[in-house]
Amino acid sequence: MNKESVGIVETEYLSISDPIRLDSGETLEEITVAYETYGELNKEKSNAILICHALTGDAHAAGWHEGDKKPGWWEMVIGPGKALDSEKYFIICSNVLGGCKGTTGPSSINPKTGKEYGLDFPVITINDMVKVQKELVASFGINQLFAVIGGSMGGMQVLEWMVSYPSMMKKAIPIATAARSSPQQIAFNAVGRQSIFSDPEWNNGNYYETGEIPRNGLSLARMIAHITYLSDESMDIKFGRGLQDKDEISYDFTLDFQVESYLKHQGETFVKRFDANSYLFITKAVDLFDLSINDSLIDGFKGIESKIKIISVDSDWLYPTEQSMDIVTALNANNVEVSFSEIKSNYGHDAFLLERGQLNYIFSNFLSENVVGDLMMEKVATIKENSNVVEAAKLMLDKHVTHIPVVTDSCQLIGIVTSWDLSKSIATKSNHLKDIMTKDVHYCNADDPIEEISRKMRKFDISCLPVVNEDMKVVGIITTDQISNLIS
């Protein structure tokens, strides 16, 4: 364990007492949520980041469980000094509804029968998963998350958060994902489910009491899915046409090639850690995912408020870059602040779990917190309301500024005068400042995030904002030029 790890962690559990109404119309009661947290929540409760896991992931995103041989699945980006810095942020990750790693799912006990749900568990959606996550976030007293981040199915959850709870996060990072499942993606999941259905041990989902799990069906489903997580290039680099533990082709149906052995191992390992019924319900939720309205993503993405970073992988053929660009286009059409990055990797879809350097770099740049107080000019020229136009003009020339806050004797903001206002004074033959100044003035505070102030300036087409404290006293000024310099 190194100093960049969050160290030994434990999974915790939240019991949700209120029933959750699902998209299907059914209701789930007595839901348990398994989750882990890293770092500390600040007193303003403004530094929380929610991590959403992929299809077969869990709440253990970082750190080590006692006795484990490897850390959490996103250890490479979570921890002290990393992009998701546990010394700066309070990071939350939970197992999704329908899972089998502590959160209520088909292998959980149905309170109405005292037995495992099995196929009595209701069909769920990505939105249902997010509803449960929202309850977890609320249990910490958090009104707004600093960010929501996730890849693959986790990216779908991020997109759902953006649409369903637009004011509950400042930033969002969906990675290697889509806003609606394509026919090909649905097809791969359907074949995986059929492989489970066809296993005699599945027993129509009632295998918990028999002790005989649908091992072959679940293993085959994993093998099929795992192929989609890799790229042709990565498989060629890793395996080529290399033989497995033999010097020549055997000319029978034993495993000849290394790639065959690898997939068989992946299937056998998966069976030891995942529940077949959970696989059915979760893949179905992915298939049902579609954020378009009337077949339009533009309509589906109306009302989004957070700042978005979309990330794709150039070698990902399961969720290709084209689907990420569809999201970017729809967000741009809704005037949402969005940026895009494409990871260069031969790993394929799995790159979001493997490309440590690129992800840390992209995350760090996007999540960097810059507030007005970091950029504003503190020594700001001000002028009193009873001054005249000539005094204002001389002050502008002397200080080389085009905006001057108008203040009371106690420096409280009451207006602003600009070089445009001075031009107006000539046309109207006005000599008194109070006759030409803007009284309904926009302003900001020193702790306001830069991105919010930038949006405000664009919205009202203004290039300068006075910065005031809680008493409305002017403490500085910020301009679009300063923000542009920060961005560049």
Side-chain angles (χ1 to χ4, degrees):
M1 193 185 310
N2 60 46
K3 62 182 180 180
E4 294 181 344
S5 174
V6 297
I8 301 297
V9 297
E10 292 183 3
T11 303
E12 300 180 76
Y13 301 89
L14 171 72
S15 295
I16 300 176
S17 55
D18 293 334
I20 300 290
R21 185 167 179 80
L22 307 175
D23 286 351
S24 66
E26 296 194 49
T27 299
L28 266 180
E29 301 179 0
E30 300 181 28
I31 295 175
T32 297
V33 184
Y35 68 95
E36 290 185 10
T37 64
Y38 320 108
E40 295 184 6
L41 187 62
N42 61 21
K43 66 177 183 179
E44 297 83 13
K45 299 186 177 182
S46 61
N47 68 331
I49 293 179
L50 178 68
I51 303 298
C52 303
H53 70 70
L55 188 74
T56 59
D58 53 34
H60 184 39
W64 300 75
H65 288 167
E66 288 283 0
D68 274 0
K69 296 181 179 179
K70 62 180 182 179
W73 56 269
W74 235 10
E75 175 81 358
M76 68 178 188
V77 294
I78 300 173
K82 300 173 188 175
L84 306 183
D85 193 338
S86 54
E87 294 180 342
K88 180 178 182 180
Y89 303 114
F90 178 65
I91 300 161
I92 310 166
C93 184
S94 66
N95 187 215
V96 296
L97 179 68
C100 55
K101 295 288 184 169
T103 296
T104 299
S107 61
S108 303
I109 300 300
N110 183 344
K112 295 179 180 178
T113 65
K115 297 181 178 181
E116 292 86 353
Y117 279 99
L119 290 196
D120 287 336
F121 194 75
V123 171
I124 56 173
T125 64
I126 299 295
N127 185 38
D128 294 330
M129 297 175 184
V130 169
K131 289 176 186 176
V132 173
Q133 290 169 348
K134 183 175 179 288
E135 293 294 318
L136 173 62
V137 170
S139 72
F140 292 103
I142 298 168
N143 294 319
Q144 186 183 54
L145 292 158
F146 178 67
V148 184
I149 307 172
S152 193
M153 187 188 79
M156 292 180 173
Q157 295 164 57
V158 176
L159 293 171
E160 187 67 62
W161 268 96
M162 289 160 44
V163 169
S164 296
Y165 307 105
S167 64
M168 276 199 68
M169 84 248 14
K170 292 182 178 179
K171 300 184 180 184
I173 309 179
I175 312 163
T177 193
R180 49 185 168 185
S181 290
S182 71
Q184 184 186 64
Q185 291 156 354
I186 294 170
F188 277 116
N189 286 337
V191 174
R193 289 194 295 271
Q194 287 299 322
S195 68
I196 294 173
F197 296 152
S198 63
D199 190 323
E201 303 295 351
W202 182 60
N203 193 29
N204 202 35
N206 299 315
Y207 54 84
Y208 298 110
E209 294 181 359
T210 67
E212 297 294 332
I213 64 174
R215 187 177 306 276
N216 292 333
L218 181 57
S219 177
L220 179 57
R222 178 62 171 183
M223 291 169 68
I224 294 166
H226 200 78
I227 295 170
T228 70
Y229 304 154
L230 309 175
S231 70
D232 184 54
E233 183 181 3
S234 67
M235 294 175 81
D236 186 53
I237 292 172
K238 187 165 185 167
F239 309 111
R241 289 183 57 83
L243 300 179
Q244 180 70 28
D245 299 329
K246 58 181 68 175
D247 297 324
E248 57 185 24
I249 299 289
S250 59
Y251 294 100
D252 57 23
F253 290 103
T254 58
L255 300 180
D256 280 322
F257 297 102
Q258 291 176 11
V259 67
E260 292 179 281
S261 178
Y262 170 78
L263 289 174
K264 185 173 185 294
H265 171 74
Q266 289 295 324
E268 291 172 347
T269 303
F270 185 66
V271 167
K272 297 176 183 177
R273 70 175 182 87
F274 213 79
D275 176 62
N277 282 339
S278 276
Y279 195 87
L280 299 177
F281 282 93
I282 294 175
T283 56
K284 188 65 177 180
V286 170
D287 291 352
L288 294 173
F289 186 66
D290 183 359
L291 289 178
S292 67
I293 295 177
N294 298 323
D295 202 34
S296 168
L297 282 182
I298 294 175
D299 289 342
F301 283 151
K302 289 187 183 301
I304 290 176
E305 300 177 16
S306 52
K307 181 179 180 181
I308 315 297
K309 165 66 79 173
I310 305 295
I311 302 175
S312 72
V313 180
D314 64 349
S315 58
D316 185 354
W317 61 275
L318 178 61
Y319 293 100
T321 293
E322 288 77 10
Q323 288 184 308
S324 289
M325 292 310 300
D326 288 343
I327 298 171
V328 173
T329 300
L331 291 171
N332 277 324
N334 282 294
N335 202 30
V336 176
E337 190 170 355
V338 58
S339 56
F340 168 75
S341 293
E342 185 180 58
I343 293 174
K344 308 299 180 183
S345 174
N346 60 26
Y347 286 126
H349 184 64
D350 267 354
F352 81 95
L353 298 170
L354 299 169
E355 289 289 355
R356 175 187 183 126
Q358 293 186 68
L359 284 172
N360 273 285
Y361 178 78
I362 295 170
F363 287 178
S364 294
N365 285 344
F366 182 68
L367 295 176
S368 294
E369 288 186 276
N370 292 293
V371 296
V372 170
D374 296 331
L375 272 74
M376 72 180 188
M377 293 183 292
E378 296 184 26
K379 295 181 179 179
V380 55
T382 61
I383 195 167
K384 302 292 177 59
E385 182 185 21
N386 56 6
S387 300
N388 60 46
V389 170
V390 174
E391 290 174 316
K394 287 181 178 179
L395 186 59
M396 283 187 184
L397 287 171
D398 182 50
K399 299 297 183 180
H400 304 287
V401 295
T402 57
H403 296 69
I404 301 176
V406 183
V407 298
T408 65
D409 290 337
S410 58
C411 290
Q412 290 180 311
L413 180 69
I414 56 174
I416 194 166
V417 63
T418 70
S419 54
W420 172 254
D421 293 326
L422 296 185
S423 299
K424 183 173 64 176
S425 72
I426 297 174
T428 60
K429 297 181 181 180
S430 300
N431 189 45
H432 298 293
L433 201 60
K434 61 183 179 181
D435 295 333
I436 62 166
M437 73 178 192
T438 300
K439 296 179 181 179
D440 186 18
V441 60
H442 296 285
Y443 58 87
C444 61
N445 302 115
D447 58 356
D448 286 343
I450 288 297
E451 57 266 23
E452 290 182 10
I453 297 308
S454 178
R455 283 198 294 269
K456 185 175 184 177
M457 287 178 163
R458 287 198 302 272
K459 179 179 180 180
F460 294 104
D461 194 24
I462 51 181
S463 60
C464 180
L465 282 178
V467 185
V468 300
N469 62 15
E470 62 274 11
D471 298 320
M472 286 298 292
K473 292 184 178 181
V474 176
V475 294
I477 201 163
I478 187 164
T479 67
T480 51
D481 285 344
Q482 291 169 297
I483 297 175
S484 296
N485 288 337
L486 170 70
I487 294 171
S488 64

